[in-house]
Amino acid sequence: MESTAAQETRGAEAPRPSAPPPSPAEPPAAPRARPRLVFRTQLAHGSPTGKIEGFTNVRELYAKIAEAFGIAPTEILFCTLNSHKVDMQKLLGGQIGLEDFIFAHVRGETKEVEVTKTEDALGLTITDNGAGYAFIKRIKEGSIINRIQAVCVGDSIEAINDHSIVGCRHYEVAKMLRELPKSQPFTLRLVQPKRAFDMIAQRSRGSKCPMEPKVTSGRETLRLRSGGSASVEEVPSKFEEEASRRVDDLLESYMGIRDPELASTMVDTSKKTLSVQEFAHRLDSVLGEFAFPDEFVVEVWAAIGEAREACG
């Protein structure tokens, strides 16, 4: 029989604390919000400043610019970055710095010139705007085309012998020009970009003349792709810039075109390969429509390797 003291001692024992309730599961971390990318833009011949956003490729970019200024997207020949001049060094390619100012060059006067091909090469380097227009990026000094004053850098090639080439890629246009027979004249229909002096009357009514904006060099760019979505990436490394430059030079010498986006894609493809044979196979799967000759692929592989060595 328990004593009274034992009963009192037991009664004085503190109750055992109950187990704490389980903590509610923590909600999953919210995905990082994609920054809102807004770019400033003007028409190169003179306009107020507009703002555009929400594009993922060049065609959508042109559509946004056209919407901002109330024009048709097909009016835009090409764009330059941070300069309203027809400066092919500032040409918009596959990348836009997040603080770049975009100038859109629109259709101006149409002109026709007759050319007689007295040599194999005309002296033209062709590029395109990614949206259906091929245009002249460079004219070789002393060449056939250089002697025709009416043909200028920045002119869009609309037709060859009245055959429309709108919608053709730059390499297709360059091939057509290479295959034209010698000693026979042919006609080029060209469209030049609208110049600032074309808009004197409009500017006198209050529209603004383009000014060179002050921009800072950011560390990120918006990478535009002809197939797939745009992405924000770090600026290209020293190796990537040098390798892309060398590949673009080879594109010009072999095919008569310049295309920084294509050159960059080829450099990116090389990073995933260990041999020139594997590189050629991957190029066929990614860029098969170009049908690059074997000797060209070998030279590209060598140029990329030389760029890697030069940049350490």
Side-chain angles (χ1 to χ4, degrees):
M1 190 175 190
E2 276 187 278
S3 66
T4 305
Q7 292 177 358
E8 289 175 355
T9 302
R10 189 180 64 185
E13 289 177 355
R16 293 181 181 179
S18 58
S23 57
E26 293 186 3
R32 185 181 175 186
R34 184 175 179 179
R36 183 183 176 195
L37 303 178
V38 180
F39 294 87
R40 293 170 298 157
T41 183
Q42 286 185 6
L43 299 180
H45 60 271
S47 77
T49 298
K51 291 184 178 181
I52 56 172
E53 60 180 309
F55 54 89
T56 61
N57 55 50
V58 173
R59 287 183 183 274
E60 291 181 7
L61 166 64
Y62 287 4
K64 292 290 184 180
I65 294 174
E67 182 182 355
F69 296 110
I71 61 175
T74 52
E75 287 293 301
I76 301 173
L77 298 179
F78 57 86
C79 293
T80 49
L81 299 176
N82 308 319
S83 174
H84 70 280
K85 299 175 183 176
V86 179
D87 183 348
M88 294 294 109
Q89 298 301 315
K90 303 291 182 67
L91 192 66
L92 184 150
Q95 293 183 331
I96 307 174
L98 298 191
E99 297 187 19
D100 281 345
F101 200 112
I102 303 170
F103 288 92
H105 298 254
V106 302
R107 293 172 62 92
E109 294 182 3
T110 300
K111 54 193 175 183
E112 287 197 357
V113 295
E114 186 175 277
V115 184
T116 300
K117 191 175 181 182
T118 56
E119 304 168 20
D120 289 333
L122 292 170
L124 284 178
T125 297
I126 309 296
T127 191
D128 64 41
N129 68 356
Y133 288 146
F135 59 95
I136 299 169
K137 187 170 185 179
R138 185 179 296 178
I139 298 174
K140 185 177 180 180
E141 189 172 351
S143 65
I144 297 170
I145 294 296
N146 186 234
R147 296 192 286 270
I148 304 175
Q149 295 298 315
V151 182
C152 303
V153 167
D155 286 351
S156 171
I157 304 175
E158 192 169 69
I160 301 172
N161 285 334
D162 290 326
H163 172 69
S164 174
I165 57 145
V166 174
C168 295
R169 292 299 313 273
H170 45 28
Y171 65 92
E172 295 173 312
V173 177
K175 184 172 183 288
M176 292 177 200
L177 293 172
R178 281 198 306 272
E179 292 177 349
L180 288 170
K182 290 174 66 174
S183 303
Q184 291 186 18
F186 66 93
T187 302
L188 288 176
R189 186 192 309 147
L190 306 170
V191 180
Q192 69 182 33
K194 183 172 283 190
R195 312 290 183 179
F197 58 74
D198 293 340
M199 295 297 291
I200 292 175
Q202 287 88 329
R203 284 207 300 273
S204 68
R205 292 197 294 269
S207 67
K208 299 177 182 177
C209 184
M211 299 178 63
E212 300 288 348
K214 293 182 179 180
V215 296
T216 58
S217 178
R219 296 299 306 165
E220 291 184 318
T221 64
L222 183 67
R223 176 83 179 268
L224 301 175
R225 292 178 172 83
S226 54
S229 298
S231 59
V232 176
E233 300 179 357
E234 291 293 315
V235 295
S237 66
K238 183 179 178 182
F239 155 68
E240 290 168 332
E241 285 188 342
E242 177 61 17
S244 295
R245 183 190 65 77
R246 293 182 185 220
V247 173
D248 208 17
D249 288 345
L250 287 172
L251 286 170
E252 181 173 22
S253 63
Y254 266 83
M255 303 176 66
I257 65 173
R258 290 196 78 88
D259 189 333
E261 181 188 359
L262 176 59
S264 179
T265 299
M266 296 177 79
V267 173
D268 286 347
T269 303
S270 75
K271 297 176 188 175
K272 308 177 182 73
T273 59
L274 299 175
S275 67
V276 66
Q277 292 81 7
E278 187 182 359
F279 178 55
H281 179 72
R282 283 188 174 268
L283 282 182
D284 281 343
S285 63
V286 176
L287 301 167
E289 70 271 20
F290 288 91
F292 296 123
D294 291 343
E295 63 271 19
F296 173 73
V297 174
V298 171
E299 286 213 33
V300 169
W301 177 258
I304 294 171
E306 290 166 2
R308 186 176 286 107
E309 289 180 7
C311 297

